[in-house]
Amino acid sequence: MTREDTLPTRPMPKAPTTKVDFNSLKAPSGYVPGLGRGAAGFTTRSDIGPARAGGIDALKGAPGSKAGEGEDPNLDENKFDEFMGNDAGVFAATGEYDEDDKEADAVWEGVDNFMDERRREAREKRMKAELEKYRAENPKITEQFADLKRQLADVKYEEWESIPEMGDYTLKKQRRMERFAPVPDSLLVRAAADVAAGTAAGAAKSLDPNSGLASSLGGLATPMGGAASTVSDLTAIGTGRGTVLGLKLDRMADSVSGQTVVDPKGYLTDLKSIKISTDAEISDIKKARHLLKSVIQTNPRHAPGWIAAARLEEVAGKLPEARKLVMQGCELCPNSEDIWLEAARLQTPDNAKALLARGVAQLPESTKLWMAAARLEADDTAKARVLRKALERIPTSVRLWKAAVELAAEDDARILLSRAVECCPQAVELWLALARLETYENARKVLNNARKAVPTEPAIWVTAAKLEEAHGADQDTVDKIVGKALKSLSANGVVIHRDAWIKEAENAERSSPPQLVTARAIVRCVAGLGVDPVDLEATLTADAEEAAKRGSVETARALYAQALATFPSQAQIWRAAAALEKAHGSRAALDELLKRAVTFCPQSEVLWLMAAKEAWLGGDVDGARAILARAFASNPDSEAIWLAAFKVEFENNEPERARALLAKARENEAANGYPRVWMKSALVERELGDAAKERALLEEGIKRFPAFDKFYLMLGQLEARGGGTEAARAAYRAGLARCPDALALWRSAARLEEEAGNVARARALLEQARLKNPKSAELWLAAIRTEQRAGNEKAADSALAKALQDCPTSGLLWAEAISMAPRPARKTKATDALKRCDNDPHVVAAVAQLFWADRKVEKARSWFNRAVTLNPDVGDHWAQFYKFECQFGTPEQQAEVSARCAAAEPHHGERWCRVSKDPKNAHQPPEVLLRRTVADIDTLPPP
């Protein structure tokens, strides 16, 4: 048998027959295409609503399933939400809104907020820019006429009266205004009765009997006559009104003598006393009365209701009704002290006394009632009697004890206070008052007892320190008392607040007499309390500055002393302390402080210079020299100390010593490298009149320091004084080549050409300077002044206009614009200048000159004071201020301005520099320079 014989045989296929078209057959009931291979049919929301879960569950809603088998009984069309959909939506069968969903929503909300915050700044900036652009393009009417409205404040009364009335020039035909005067009925009746008899006769006389008009008007004669009489009798109506007015005036005047009998003041007082209530007020009062009546009827034991009702009647002007209501309240609410006080307020003084007597009988523990009863008494004896009775009933009332002590004499007050502290041991005010009245020994005992009774009160310890200081205790004793106070208070649980204790030190300093030792002791003990050591220096310095601003000089001095004791090597603290002493202390204290300062900070040049300057200002020239000699030992290579030593000698009219000192400095290897040493050397030679040596020093300085512009400037001025125009021009040319940004060189070179008659060359130099130094107000001002001196007013105006376009915020140019403007236009120009640069001292001084010209003295003084406060270094403003005070001020005001100028020591200003740098005015004090600058203003044009 072969392998093929063992295999199963395959049946033979049948013969092909007709093919069945299954697509044309009807599907069995419940058949879903693709369900056998796992696919399920789907439906859209338009068919059955929200989508359903897939799989077998889809059969419940599939087409062909039985109606109602897959419907959710909770499906309700009224529960549809626009965001979440229907309650039976996709999440209805699978889950709920749990904490994870809530957390996810919070995260996404935070992301949205963060993105919005990132864009908010840019969005707000864009909106702000758009708003500003819109406002700039569409200004309000008030903004367009703001400058004109400001000018209305200066219009005088006569100018207002001289303005003509504006007539009506409209072309429209205006509707005629008809006026009607109300006429009393009595006048109309009387007028009708007077003319009733003559109506027909008047009509007959007025018409021709032969004419047809008389017969045609027969029926209309009577009414027409009455109307005519009413119209024609208006004169009688006016007479009647005049009669009524005359009767009213006769009541107010004496018909015999013609003199008035009305008291004007009393008449006005009567008018003020008349209260005119409107209908709305009357209605409100009625509503409030009805409401309060309901309140007191509903709860008659409620005292505030009675009080409110009584006050309502008082406001309505019914005082008897108010008293009646409040008395009913006293009967029904006898335990309310407020109702008794209100009743006493509404009664007369005598009745109030009786009423309060009933009140204190009903409420003997009420302090308010006893105090009110005492206030009703006329003399102090009766008041003291009432208060003593009150203290018998309420011995623990601090308010009553204080009132009784205020009325008593000193001996009686001491006795009362002794009893008061026994009854009220916790009242610190009573303890302190008793200590002030006792002797020194007894006061110490009283304060010790107070400390035991109230161990947590700092005021007791502070008072003890003040007591010891008042009786001559030294600083260490007071320091111990304050130290023990801090320890005791801390042991009793009191939190020590550093700022509060510093305030207490300031209060001790401001007391009368000042308790300076106590203030210093408090500051020493609490200065570093609770402050981080890293921040201690800054904290002490800031506290000292704030105390000085508040006027507590001794507290600030103590804080600086504590800071210097902790940080003795900090030069800035020494400088601040020295500034405080210079402003509020004595010269001796300042000298002592600076001596200590240079001992601890020998490398600080500023402290050495301050010490030498104070010694020099005090007249101790030898002391200043000694200080500078010590400074040289500590700082041998300091330029500032070399120049300070030169200034001491030069300002004390010792030019030879100054020359020797500078020669020594030029020989010094370190000082030889300072250009200012060479400049001061040339200055000394100019003072001594040695032009050749001055020229040699300047030329040597130029060789050593070719970029130092003042050498060229001084050399050019030297040549110009000697008449060497070409040499001066060469010096300026060389300086401009080396220092093109030196504005003083450009101006001096241009002025040299102008004085030589070359105005065009001067103009060209200034234009070249502006090209190399754009937006320079000083160069523009020099160009304007050049045109003015040349007589070219139009060119000067044109240059000023260009200058303001190039430097729109330059106060120097705006001040020049105000002075150059015609007088009527100066106020407008000043307003524009203040808009551009409000706090510029030059503009403020120019406005002050406008007020000065208008004789507005107080305003001018205020603006001058503001100008010198903004920049006290401008000497021209001080000179203008002093000149103004010489014209309008008192000698005291003139002396004050001069003293302030000397303290400020100004160094700038066109006229001030011209006067101060004149060799004739060398070594002159600021007071003399101030008066000479005023003379320069009166006699010379601007430089």
Side-chain angles (χ1 to χ4, degrees), residues 106-152:
V107 170
W108 284 111
E109 184 178 1
V111 171
D112 293 339
N113 293 336
F114 175 75
M115 297 300 295
D116 183 71
E117 186 68 22
R118 288 181 57 186
R119 302 185 183 96
R120 181 172 62 85
E121 183 176 358
R123 183 173 62 252
E124 292 179 354
K125 186 176 181 181
R126 185 177 64 256
M127 292 176 62
K128 183 178 179 181
E130 292 176 355
L131 182 60
E132 291 177 353
K133 181 180 179 181
Y134 176 79
R135 289 179 176 175
E137 295 175 352
N138 304 278
K140 298 181 180 178
I141 297 297
T142 56
E143 295 177 357
Q144 297 179 8
F145 293 94
D147 54 341
L148 300 178
K149 291 173 67 178
R150 280 194 296 269
Q151 295 177 11
L152 292 179

Side-chain angles (χ1 to χ4, degrees), residues 273-290:
S273 64
I274 298 175
K275 184 178 186 301
I276 303 176
S277 300
T278 62
D279 295 340
E281 291 178 355
I282 295 173
S283 175
D284 294 341
I285 290 174
K286 289 181 179 179
K287 291 179 181 178
R289 185 181 290 120
H290 181 70

Side-chain angles (χ1 to χ4, degrees), residues 527-773:
L529 194 65
V531 181
D532 193 347
V534 179
D535 302 329
L536 183 58
E537 178 185 352
T539 302
L540 291 175
T541 305
D543 289 343
E545 292 175 355
E546 292 298 326
K549 290 179 182 178
R550 293 191 292 267
S552 303
V553 179
E554 190 62 33
T555 303
R557 187 180 287 120
L559 286 166
Y560 277 130
Q562 194 66 23
L564 292 173
T566 309
F567 307 99
S569 60
Q570 297 297 324
Q572 64 270 17
I573 303 179
W574 288 105
R575 290 199 297 269
L580 179 68
E581 290 296 336
K582 185 175 182 180
H584 303 284
S586 61
R587 186 173 296 276
L590 179 58
D591 292 341
E592 181 63 27
L593 179 68
L594 289 174
K595 287 179 181 178
R596 293 173 52 213
V598 296
T599 303
F600 285 101
C601 303
Q603 304 301 322
S604 177
E605 300 177 1
V606 177
L607 294 177
W608 286 108
L609 296 177
M610 289 177 66
K613 183 178 180 180
E614 293 302 324
W616 175 54
L617 292 176
D620 187 6
V621 179
D622 294 334
R625 290 170 179 163
I627 292 173
L628 289 174
R630 293 169 52 199
F632 275 123
S634 301
N635 303 275
D637 300 333
S638 173
E639 178 188 10
I641 295 176
W642 278 106
L643 296 178
F646 154 76
K647 184 176 181 181
V648 169
E649 304 298 342
F650 187 72
E651 296 295 337
N652 283 281
N653 292 326
E654 296 285 349
E656 293 297 336
R657 298 187 61 154
R659 174 190 280 178
L661 183 65
L662 290 174
K664 184 178 179 181
R666 292 196 303 272
E667 294 173 359
N668 185 282
E669 183 177 355
N672 192 23
Y674 300 135
R676 296 182 64 193
V677 172
W678 292 88
M679 184 188 71
K680 296 296 182 182
S681 301
L683 186 64
V684 172
E685 299 301 334
R686 186 179 69 180
E687 178 75 13
L688 295 174
D690 192 345
K693 196 163 186 179
E694 179 186 0
R695 184 180 294 104
L697 286 171
L698 290 173
E699 290 175 353
E700 181 66 22
I702 290 174
K703 291 178 181 179
R704 289 176 176 268
F705 311 99
F708 192 69
D709 59 305
K710 290 190 177 181
F711 286 146
Y712 302 99
L713 186 62
M714 293 178 66
L715 181 59
Q717 292 173 353
L718 173 63
E719 300 296 346
R721 285 196 304 270
T725 305
E726 289 298 330
R729 186 179 289 120
Y732 289 142
R733 189 183 303 112
L736 292 175
R738 290 282 189 173
C739 311
D741 56 345
L743 304 182
L745 274 176
W746 288 105
R747 287 182 294 173
S748 299
R751 191 61 184 268
L752 178 67
E753 298 296 341
E754 182 183 354
E755 290 175 352
N758 299 325
V759 179
R761 186 171 178 80
R763 188 182 297 117
L765 275 173
L766 291 174
E767 290 179 358
Q768 185 180 0
R770 291 197 301 272
L771 290 176
K772 295 187 177 182
N773 300 277

Side-chain angles (χ1 to χ4, degrees), residues 58-86:
L59 290 173
K60 298 179 180 179
S65 62
K66 294 183 179 180
E69 288 184 358
E71 294 183 359
D72 191 347
N74 297 323
L75 185 62
D76 188 358
E77 295 181 356
N78 296 326
K79 296 182 180 180
F80 179 76
D81 184 81
E82 294 182 358
F83 178 73
M84 295 295 296
N86 198 286

Side-chain angles (χ1 to χ4, degrees), residues 27-28 30-42 59 62-63:
Y31 172 76
V32 178
L35 183 61
R37 62 179 183 272
F42 63 91
L59 290 173

Side-chain angles (χ1 to χ4, degrees), residues 17-29:
T17 58
T18 304
K19 186 176 181 181
V20 179
D21 186 8
F22 291 97
N23 292 328
S24 61
L25 297 179
K26 183 178 180 181
S29 177

